[in-house]
Amino acid sequence: MLPFTFTTKNAEIYLRRAEPADLPRLIDLNKRAFPLMAEENVVWSERQLTNHLKLFPEGQVVAEIGGELVGAVASLIVASGRDPYRAHTYAGITDGGYFHNHDASGDTLYGADVYVDPDWQGRGVGAALYEARRRLCQNLNLRRILAGGRLANYAEHADSLTIEAYVEKVKSGELQDPVLSFQLKEGFSVRGILRNYITDPMSLNHASLIEWLNPDYVEHEPSSKVRVACVQYQVRKIESFEDFASQVEYFVETAADYRSDFVLFPEFFSVQLLSVIEPLPAIDGIRHLSKEFTKPFVDLMSRMANKYNLYIIGGSHPIERDGKLQNECMIFDPSGRYISQPKLHITPSEQRYWGISGGDELIVLPTPKARIAVQICYDVEFPEASRYLADQGVEILFVPYCTDDRHGMFRVRKCAEARAIENQIFVATAGIIGNLPSVQAMDIHYGQAAVFTPSDFEFARDGIQAIADSNVETLLVTDIDTEDLYRSRAAGSVTPRLDRRTDLFELKVNLKNMKTDVEMTDGPEIDLPK
């Protein structure tokens, strides 16, 4: 679809995806294109544009003439629901301009902005950008393009015409509006009027709701349902690695039998492997586990993910990096590849007994079913990290944990519930149960697997989608619907994501991987049974 060249009688216009290096020019261009809106401080910020590129890079397109950036469009995907023409505001449909509500499984490309350098207006740049958006809609097999169009000349006629009468006169050609007249020429139809859509003195905050229907759209039934399995794993003394592998495969196979998309294991469940050897002091044992069992552990989990065609959230396992020991959760995809999320916040006992250090990366993993991330146990007790992940579009947060007693379990559980409510995401948790008397620092455990939701009409009573009986070895399986998240965010009883006071509070992030994409590692070569 991109890049391509759009030819007009005035210019050769080159269309391509926006890149991070374009951001300073885009911010300046947006201010130049909308000077009155710049005065109202409703133009793009660097944080917003950065988010657009992270969440939906395909929808951010720029136009160049002779190497000079002269225009751009910003788009996101939303679900139309039962009423695609329902009233909405710009802030609501774009999540305050940050696109956190971009829904890859939606059916509608929403046009958030089109802007052209004033020096290049009238030379076909706008037409080229609209063509890029149409091609994107067709390429992604989306049903429509929808947008709220500024009514740029309405303020001049407001004394004599209602907004409805103004739109009708523009549609009939009696009046010209620089935005709506152009959109009608580009094949869009007016579906309604949006009041208090955006702060814009020229349109007195009104907008036309416009639509372009994709003539090539092929009807399909996208599913926003996700099936999650949480393993309440009982650690017990075993005699060999094969015993451990058999116990793990039992749960993965069962999750696959229930057609689960994701299966979550608890934190430190691999420490069970230390019961195979003679007892060691805690620090020696955890380093032995890292040195001797990391490769067979990775091989096993990679093979299981590939064999059963699902995602395995691999609890956690100690990994040595540059002489330091980290507590890491490896996420394995159905091809057997994996990516590793380190625990950031280390408990006093982890430091005292095992000498574990905290990591400095937070990973967001887009999957065909949902955008996911992991916070290991203690990490979910710190709201900043969860807020950051939600701002990157995470829909399901997986929390593997290992707690000794009921107090510890409830610390994790209550914080997981809070993260689900305040960020309007799903949070799935799984904890260890059982005893390992021969393994230091792993004596007793208390666990209760659960899946938590926001607390609103779309979700289960009490914000608990599913919960297991405590301290019983089992597999908790439940369905969640990511579309419920977007409905709740847009029109819930409360809208905490939208109502944040960013003028008062700002989240500062210094993660090591902020500026880079973290790639999945290829799994080992696997010979599967024929």
Side-chain angles (χ1 to χ4, degrees):
M1 198 279 291
L2 288 175
F4 71 91
T5 299
F6 186 87
T7 303
T8 72
K9 62 181 180 181
N10 296 312
E12 294 281 321
I13 304 169
Y14 181 67
L15 288 302
R16 62 170 174 82
R17 281 192 193 181
E19 300 172 353
D22 298 322
L23 297 192
R25 171 61 177 155
L26 290 175
I27 292 169
D28 177 67
L29 187 63
N30 199 229
K31 292 177 180 178
R32 282 169 45 78
F34 304 118
L36 291 180
M37 297 178 72
E39 291 178 10
E40 300 286 343
N41 198 32
V42 288
V43 291
W44 295 126
S45 69
E46 183 177 356
R47 285 181 61 197
Q48 289 170 324
L49 293 176
T50 299
N51 245 32
H52 302 173
L53 293 179
K54 285 185 177 180
L55 297 174
F56 186 36
E58 300 95 328
Q60 320 317 313
V61 180
V62 299
E64 291 182 343
I65 296 178
E68 180 182 354
L69 200 156
V70 296
V73 292
S75 310
L76 68 156
I77 297 174
V78 299
S80 63
R82 296 175 183 172
D83 180 12
Y85 311 132
R86 62 190 179 275
H88 59 269
T89 66
Y90 184 81
I93 200 75
T94 66
D95 206 352
Y98 285 91
F99 292 11
H100 296 139
N101 59 329
H102 166 72
D103 182 0
S105 63
D107 63 352
T108 298
L109 185 67
Y110 196 88
D113 204 0
V114 179
Y115 47 107
V116 177
D117 189 321
D119 294 340
W120 288 94
Q121 290 177 5
R123 305 195 193 185
V125 177
L129 291 167
Y130 269 65
E131 174 62 18
R133 196 176 264 166
R134 283 190 292 265
R135 291 191 187 191
L136 176 63
C137 181
Q138 292 172 307
N139 188 58
L140 296 178
N141 190 39
L142 299 175
R143 187 185 296 272
R144 62 174 62 81
I145 301 173
L146 209 62
R150 295 170 57 245
L151 296 165
N153 284 352
Y154 178 59
E156 300 174 10
H157 300 272
D159 291 340
S160 58
L161 293 173
T162 65
I163 188 66
E164 291 82 3
Y166 175 78
V167 169
E168 286 303 317
K169 286 184 176 293
V170 174
K171 287 168 61 178
S172 68
E174 292 181 55
L175 291 176
Q176 286 292 307
D177 182 277
V179 178
L180 181 55
S181 297
F182 170 76
Q183 291 166 335
L184 294 170
K185 182 181 176 182
E186 288 295 317
F188 283 77
S189 301
V190 176
R191 301 302 188 196
I193 303 294
L194 300 172
R195 290 173 168 79
N196 298 312
Y197 177 73
I198 195 170
T199 303
D200 175 26
M202 297 175 69
S203 60
L204 300 185
N205 302 341
H206 294 91
S208 59
L209 180 61
I210 59 168
E211 180 187 48
W212 178 82
L213 290 171
N214 177 5
D216 300 327
Y217 176 70
V218 178
E219 191 75 42
H220 64 293
E221 291 293 333
S223 174
S224 54
K225 291 284 184 72
V226 182
R227 183 160 294 176
V228 174
C230 304
V231 181
Q232 196 152 289
Y233 188 95
Q234 181 175 345
V235 290
R236 55 177 72 86
K237 180 171 173 54
I238 53 177
E239 300 299 325
S240 65
F241 183 86
E242 287 69 30
D243 288 347
F244 174 77
S246 177
Q247 189 173 344
V248 169
E249 183 162 13
Y250 166 77
F251 284 111
V252 176
E253 182 178 17
T254 304
D257 286 345
Y258 280 92
R259 300 187 300 280
S260 301
D261 301 298
F262 300 92
V263 57
L264 169 65
F265 282 87
E267 179 187 28
F268 279 135
F269 79 111
S270 67
V271 177
Q272 182 183 27
L273 288 164
L274 290 180
S275 68
V276 172
I277 63 174
E278 291 297 316
L280 292 172
I283 187 68
D284 295 334
I286 203 73
R287 289 194 173 273
H288 180 85
L289 180 64
S290 175
K291 181 179 180 181
E292 300 298 329
F293 287 105
T294 293
K295 185 179 185 306
F297 175 80
V298 171
D299 290 355
L300 170 67
M301 303 304 279
S302 181
R303 179 171 63 85
M304 292 295 100
N306 186 262
K307 178 178 179 180
Y308 293 103
N309 192 37
L310 45 57
Y311 282 85
I312 297 178
I313 317 299
S316 79
H317 181 82
I319 300 289
E320 187 171 337
R321 298 190 186 280
D322 300 322
K324 294 182 178 180
L325 207 58
Q326 293 191 161
N327 180 5
E328 300 190 3
C329 174
M330 284 172 269
I331 307 166
F332 298 83
D333 77 2
S335 73
R337 298 182 307 158
Y338 66 94
I339 197 166
S340 196
Q341 170 63 62
K343 189 173 184 176
L344 307 189
H345 303 87
I346 307 305
T347 64
S349 60
E350 285 178 280
Q351 297 178 50
R352 182 169 64 251
Y353 290 114
W354 290 331
I356 288 178
S357 300
D360 51 15
E361 296 182 337
L362 276 175
I363 294 162
V364 177
L365 183 62
T367 75
K369 299 298 291 187
R371 201 171 176 90
I372 69 167
V374 170
Q375 287 188 273
I376 303 172
C377 194
Y378 197 33
D379 280 340
V380 82
E381 298 179 32
F382 297 84
E384 307 89 353
S386 305
R387 171 58 53 82
Y388 169 78
L389 291 170
D391 284 353
Q392 307 313 305
V394 165
E395 296 160 316
I396 307 174
L397 179 63
F398 289 96
V399 180
Y401 67 90
C402 173
T403 50
D404 314 6
D405 54 24
R406 184 178 170 87
H407 295 103
M409 184 278 290
F410 265 99
R411 282 195 299 272
V412 173
R413 172 178 164 177
K414 294 298 184 184
C415 290
E417 290 182 80
R419 303 299 85 85
I421 291 170
E422 66 199 13
N423 294 300
Q424 295 181 286
I425 58 175
F426 295 111
V427 181
T429 67
I432 277 181
I433 63 171
N435 310 307
L436 284 175
S438 65
V439 180
Q440 286 198 22
M442 289 291 286
D443 303 314
I444 58 172
H445 302 93
Y446 194 107
Q448 188 174 35
V451 177
F452 303 112
T453 75
S455 187
D456 213 331
F457 293 113
E458 285 86 354
F459 307 101
R461 178 183 171 182
D462 302 329
I464 302 173
Q465 175 68 22
I467 191 164
D469 292 334
S470 59
N471 297 328
V472 176
E473 187 167 42
T474 188
L475 183 71
L476 179 72
V477 182
T478 190
D479 285 346
I480 53 181
D481 191 338
T482 56
E483 190 53 43
D484 289 341
L485 295 178
Y486 295 101
R487 280 194 295 269
S488 178
R489 292 175 185 180
S493 301
V494 293
T495 50
R497 294 185 57 77
L498 184 58
D499 297 334
R500 286 160 54 181
R501 289 294 302 276
T502 54
D503 57 324
L504 299 179
F505 306 102
E506 184 175 356
L507 183 64
K508 184 178 180 181
V509 182
N510 296 305
L511 294 166
K512 179 181 176 182
N513 64 318
M514 276 193 67
K515 302 294 185 182
T516 58
D517 292 327
V518 182
E519 300 293 337
M520 297 195 81
T521 301
D522 288 337
E525 293 294 327
I526 300 169
D527 293 322
L528 293 176
K530 302 299 183 185

